[in-house]
């Protein structure tokens, strides 16, 4: 249970701390997703938010879980990185 709470807090803090800087980079480089007929948002939205979430997941996963309990997790982690 402690590892689960620690992993959540680590992931949350990394994501929370990095999102403002990623939004600033998106604004500086004009990396937006603009609204269209098929999209639900009404204003231009920065597109790099997934980087912060992925970084929080990856660091939290490697720090709190690591490849020790399941050797197959290394393969899954490699697949997740490739998909990202």
């Amino acid at each position: 249970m402690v590892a689960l709470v620690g992993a959540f807090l680590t992931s949350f803090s990394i994501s929370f701390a990095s999102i403002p800087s990623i939004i600033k980079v998106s604004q500086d480089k004009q990396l937006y997703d603009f609204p269209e007929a098929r999209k639900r948002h009404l204003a231009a939205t920065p597109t790099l938010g997934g980087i912060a979430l992925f970084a929080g997941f990856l660091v939290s996963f490697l720090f709190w879980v690591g490849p020790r309990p399941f050797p197959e997790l290394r393969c899954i982690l490699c697949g997740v990185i490739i998909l990202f």
Side-chain angles (χ1 to χ4, degrees):
M1 184 68 178
V2 173
L4 184 64
V5 172
F8 171 76
L9 290 176
T10 303
S11 179
F12 177 79
S13 62
I14 290 172
S15 299
F16 188 75
S18 61
I19 283 178
S21 61
I22 290 175
I23 289 175
K24 184 176 179 336
V25 168
S26 293
Q27 290 172 345
D28 291 343
K29 303 287 184 181
Q30 298 295 315
L31 300 172
Y32 294 113
D33 184 27
F34 294 101
E36 296 175 2
R38 295 178 52 193
K39 299 179 181 173
R40 297 191 58 103
H41 56 274
L42 301 175
T45 306
T47 59
L48 298 178
I51 293 173
L53 298 178
F54 182 73
F57 160 75
L58 187 64
V59 170
S60 177
F61 181 82
L62 291 176
F63 182 75
W64 288 98
V65 176
R68 291 181 304 269
F70 308 103
E72 299 85 17
L73 285 178
R74 286 186 289 167
C75 297
I76 293 171
L77 190 58
C78 287
V80 167
I81 290 171
I82 290 170
L83 286 175
F84 174 73

